[in-house]
């Protein structure tokens, strides 16, 4: 976002367009609050499960890798998750 004001809906609409989304639809969604309830519910769910910072990576809706981590930690975590899944 290059220090852009991401609380400004026009900035968000432009960023949506840069990501390949329809800018007019992005404006409409942002101004209407169409998905606000779903977003807030998901936010509350994941906060209740321990996410207190970003990034927070959730794997299979069960495991959390919190914060910016080095690649080695991701590899270790994914191997451990795979081991646990294969043990079930």
């Amino acid at each position: 976002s290059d220090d852009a004001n991401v609380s400004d809906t026009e900035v968000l609409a432009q960023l949506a367009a840069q990501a390949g989304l329809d800018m007019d639809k992005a404006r409409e969604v942002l101004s209407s609050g169409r998905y606000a309830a779903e977003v807030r519910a998901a936010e509350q769910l994941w906060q209740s499960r321990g996410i207190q910072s970003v990034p927070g990576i959730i794997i299979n809706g069960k495991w959390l890798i919190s914060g910016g981590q080095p690649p080695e930690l991701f590899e270790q975590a994914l191997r451990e998750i795979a081991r646990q899944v294969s043990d079930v």
Side-chain angles (χ1 to χ4, degrees):
S1 65
D2 298 319
D3 295 320
N5 180 3
V6 294
S7 66
D8 180 331
T9 56
E10 187 58 29
V11 170
L12 290 174
Q14 290 172 4
L15 291 170
Q18 289 175 16
L21 301 173
D22 182 283
M23 183 185 271
D24 291 330
K25 286 183 183 178
R27 281 190 189 107
E28 190 276 320
V29 167
L30 291 165
S31 66
S32 72
R34 181 185 308 161
Y35 301 107
E38 292 95 331
V39 169
R40 297 295 175 249
E43 181 180 43
Q44 289 177 346
L45 170 69
W46 293 112
Q47 284 178 345
S48 75
R49 293 188 179 180
I51 293 182
Q52 302 300 320
S53 63
V54 292
I57 309 299
I58 300 121
I59 300 167
N60 290 347
K62 183 175 179 179
W63 293 278
L64 168 65
I65 302 173
S66 189
Q69 302 295 335
E72 298 80 19
L73 186 128
F74 277 99
E75 179 183 5
Q76 178 185 355
L78 292 172
R79 288 184 186 279
E80 177 59 22
I81 290 166
R83 185 191 64 73
Q84 289 180 26
V85 169
S86 68
D87 287 346
V88 173

